[in-house]
């Protein structure tokens, strides 16, 4: 099922849409939570909260400019970061020291989100940002982009 079909199914109250969202969420989000010191119950809670937020936003008229999986991952990552912060602040649960570093999966997903966002920009802005991300200094970028 394509992303567009999923959204259409959600908007028409067809259960296939929400089932597809759960399938996407379970595929990616559980691993993210577990790799970042979460328990299986934490992962289930994050998936549930993520799907509810996504469903509500679609019903309110959200227009996506990225893949559903990317958007779900962004919601879940933000929810999980808030949970980690809350646990650290109130010292509830146990999270090992240094458990907040980005995993390879998160780095790939973040790159995907960034690439999707960059594609929305004008070509000149894309060149500028990609030059910066490649490690070029300001003088090299100015020379390359003829500024």
């Amino acid at each position: 099922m394509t992303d567009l079909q999923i959204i259409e199914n959600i908007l028409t109250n067809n259960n296939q849409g929400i089932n597809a969202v759960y399938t996407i969420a379970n595929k990616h989000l559980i691993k993210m939570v577990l790799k970042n010191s979460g328990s299986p119950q934490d992962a289930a809670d994050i998936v549930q909260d993520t799907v509810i937020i996504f469903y509500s936003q679609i019903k309110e008229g959200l227009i996506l400019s990225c893949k559903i999986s990317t958007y779900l991952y962004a919601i879940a990552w933000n929810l999980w970061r808030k949970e980690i912060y809350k646990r650290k602040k109130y010292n509830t649960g146990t999270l090992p020291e240094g458990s907040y570093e980005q995993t390879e999966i998160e780095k790939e997903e973040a790159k995907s989100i960034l690439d999707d966002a960059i594609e929305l920009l004008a070509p000149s802005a894309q060149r500028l940002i990609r030059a910066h991300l490649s490690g070029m200094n300001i003088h090299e970028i100015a020379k390359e982009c003829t500024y």
Side-chain angles (χ1 to χ4, degrees):
M1 185 177 299
T2 67
D3 285 1
L4 183 58
Q5 291 171 324
I6 292 170
I7 291 170
E8 287 173 352
N9 282 331
I10 290 171
L11 292 173
T12 59
N13 296 319
N14 183 330
N15 287 339
Q16 289 180 342
I18 202 72
N19 290 339
V21 172
Y22 270 107
T23 300
I24 293 168
N26 283 327
K27 183 178 179 183
H28 300 289
L29 307 183
I30 291 173
K31 283 191 259 182
M32 182 270 295
V33 173
L34 294 176
K35 286 188 180 249
N36 287 281
S37 304
S39 69
Q41 183 59 49
D42 293 331
D45 291 344
I46 293 293
V47 166
Q48 182 69 25
D49 291 346
T50 299
V51 172
I52 289 169
I53 290 169
F54 178 75
Y55 178 84
S56 298
Q57 289 177 342
I58 291 297
K59 286 292 199 172
E60 291 171 4
L62 173 72
I63 298 175
L64 286 178
S65 59
C66 62
K67 297 184 290 185
I68 289 176
S69 60
T70 302
Y71 194 76
L72 292 173
Y73 193 93
I75 294 170
W77 179 242
N78 286 327
L79 290 172
W80 184 238
R81 284 189 351 188
K82 286 179 186 176
E83 181 62 28
I84 289 171
Y85 174 77
K86 188 171 27 171
R87 288 180 185 185
K88 190 174 179 182
K89 182 176 180 181
Y90 298 111
N91 203 16
T92 61
T94 56
L95 293 173
E97 190 63 34
S99 63
Y100 315 116
E101 294 181 24
Q102 255 187 336
T103 64
E104 286 303 313
I105 292 173
E106 291 164 354
K107 288 177 185 174
E108 289 173 23
E109 198 64 35
K111 185 181 180 317
S112 173
I113 291 168
L114 183 61
D115 286 341
D116 288 346
I118 290 172
E119 289 298 318
L120 299 174
L121 300 173
S124 60
Q126 288 180 24
R127 276 195 323 274
L128 181 68
I129 291 174
R130 291 190 194 285
H132 172 71
L133 292 174
S134 73
M136 294 174 73
N137 68 40
I138 195 163
H139 301 294
E140 293 170 329
I141 293 172
K143 190 175 187 180
E144 177 80 21
C145 297
T146 62
Y147 291 123

